């Protein structure tokens, strides 16, 4: 497995540049990190500006992955305007199994335009290509219909439903998805 993961930025898609975060991204990030609808099914709290600033600081170390357990966290920049409209993540979750875990979040005003798919597909391509992963998984709250639809569109398969998982103070049903390198198109 080639480590570290140090993709050449930007990773270009049709409409997006995926790249490392910079301090200048704070106001764009705050727009969606502070949105209760966006963070409803992700582990982050609804963030204040200071909490977003702190989260952004941590992302500087997440522009590369040096070992198992770390997340690669890339800003989703809309090339046309330069605005950061989301983030896409890939964790090196299991070195022995050559497995990664996908994550994503998009600004509410930019959803349902295919941008989540474009960013997530590019991250899967990086994971299976440059990083040599065999499998990429995703875990979500079973109520998160948007995320399930995106994973379906990516060709990922539902592998498990795990009931009664603690999440933000309640017990929820959790869905697990996976895709192998052979099935990725
Ligand atoms: C999940 C998320 C990234 C999807 O991004 P997006 O850019 O809106 O998704 P896309 O436009 O690329 O759509 C991908 C597919 O999902 C479908 N979809 C998107 N939102 C949907 C919704 N709310 N309900 C049902 N289907 C939805 C689209 O129709 C599309 O399928 P189709 O092409 O077959 O019609 C976005 O809703 C989001 O950021 N949600 C909040 C954060 C979150 O929950 N992250 C995931 C944690 S596991």
């Amino acid at each position: 497995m080639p480590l570290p993961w140090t993709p050449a930025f930007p990773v270009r898609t049709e409409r997006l540049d995926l790249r490392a975060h910079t301090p200048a991204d704070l106001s764009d990030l705050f727009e969606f990190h502070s949105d209760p609808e966006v963070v409803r099914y992700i582990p982050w709290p609804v963030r204040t500006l200071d909490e977003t600033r702190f989260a952004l600081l941590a992302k500087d170390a997440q522009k590369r992955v040096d070992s198992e357990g770390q997340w690669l966290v890339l800003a989703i920049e809309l090339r046309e305007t330069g605005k950061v409209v989301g983030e896409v993540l890939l964790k090196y979750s299991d070195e022995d199994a050559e497995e990664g875990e996908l994550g994503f979040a998009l600004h509410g005003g930019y959803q349902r335009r295919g941008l989540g798919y474009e960013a997530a597909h590019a991250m899967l391509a990086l994971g299976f290509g440059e990083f040599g992963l065999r499998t990429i998984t995703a875990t979500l709250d079973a109520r998160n219909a948007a995320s399930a639809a995106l994973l379906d569109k990516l060709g990922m398969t539902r592998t498990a439903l795990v009931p009664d998982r603690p999440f933000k103070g309640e017990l929820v049903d959790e869905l697990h998805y996976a895709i192998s390198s052979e099935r990725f198109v």
Side-chain angles (χ1 to χ4, degrees), residues 101-115:
E101 180 180 347
L102 180 69
F104 35 71
L106 217 74
H107 188 299
Y110 292 84
Q111 293 177 8
R112 305 213 71 159
R113 301 183 192 183
L115 297 174

Side-chain angles (χ1 to χ4, degrees), residues 37-43 102-108 110-118 138-141 144-151 153:
E37 288 304 316
V38 171
V39 305
R40 179 178 305 274
Y41 299 124
I42 47 187
L102 180 69
F104 35 71
L106 217 74
H107 188 299
Y110 292 84
Q111 293 177 8
R112 305 213 71 159
R113 301 183 192 183
L115 297 174
Y117 174 79
E118 217 171 292
T139 300
L140 64 148
D141 187 312
N144 192 346
S147 184
L150 173 52
L151 296 172
K153 189 170 181 186

Side-chain angles (χ1 to χ4, degrees), residues 14 34 41 56 74 77 98 103 113 122 127 158 162 165 183:
E14 191 187 336
S34 63
Y41 299 124
L56 179 56
L74 303 185
E77 181 182 313
E98 299 179 331
R113 301 183 192 183
R158 192 174 296 186
V162 185
R165 297 285 296 155
R183 291 201 47 214

Side-chain angles (χ1 to χ4, degrees), residues 13-181:
T13 69
E14 191 187 336
R15 292 170 290 175
L16 304 171
D17 286 333
L18 309 182
R19 56 156 177 83
H21 286 85
T22 77
D25 297 332
L26 179 61
S27 59
D28 286 347
L29 235 60
F30 180 56
E31 286 183 29
F32 65 94
H33 282 229
S34 63
D35 182 343
E37 288 304 316
V38 171
V39 305
R40 179 178 305 274
Y41 299 124
I42 47 187
W44 324 329
V46 176
R47 288 184 171 137
T48 63
L49 184 60
D50 274 345
E51 287 167 339
T52 308
R53 187 177 285 115
F54 191 71
L56 179 56
L57 277 178
K59 292 181 196 305
D60 190 50
Q62 295 175 314
K63 61 190 173 203
R64 56 182 277 147
V65 163
D66 295 297
S67 61
E68 182 186 46
Q70 293 181 346
W71 286 93
L72 179 70
V73 181
L74 303 185
I76 301 175
E77 181 182 313
L78 196 58
R79 188 173 310 115
E80 193 181 4
T81 61
K83 187 178 177 68
V84 174
V85 297
E87 57 197 84
V88 59
L89 308 85
L90 186 67
K91 183 183 184 181
Y92 190 15
S93 51
D94 188 328
E95 186 165 11
D96 290 338
E98 299 179 331
E99 197 167 285
E101 180 180 347
L102 180 69
F104 35 71
L106 217 74
H107 188 299
Y110 292 84
Q111 293 177 8
R112 305 213 71 159
R113 301 183 192 183
L115 297 174
Y117 174 79
E118 217 171 292
H121 188 274
M123 194 59 124
L124 291 183
L126 265 185
F128 289 132
E130 203 171 316
F131 307 154
L133 296 173
R134 292 171 62 89
T135 311
I136 296 178
T137 65
T139 300
L140 64 148
D141 187 312
R143 296 169 298 180
N144 192 346
S147 184
L150 173 52
L151 296 172
D152 286 339
K153 189 170 181 186
L154 290 165
M156 297 184 73
T157 305
R158 192 174 296 186
T159 54
L161 188 157
V162 185
D164 296 334
R165 297 285 296 155
F167 182 77
K168 290 188 166 175
E170 54 181 335
L171 294 178
V172 306
D173 289 345
E174 191 177 85
L175 292 176
H176 294 198
Y177 277 71
I179 184 169
S180 65
S181 56

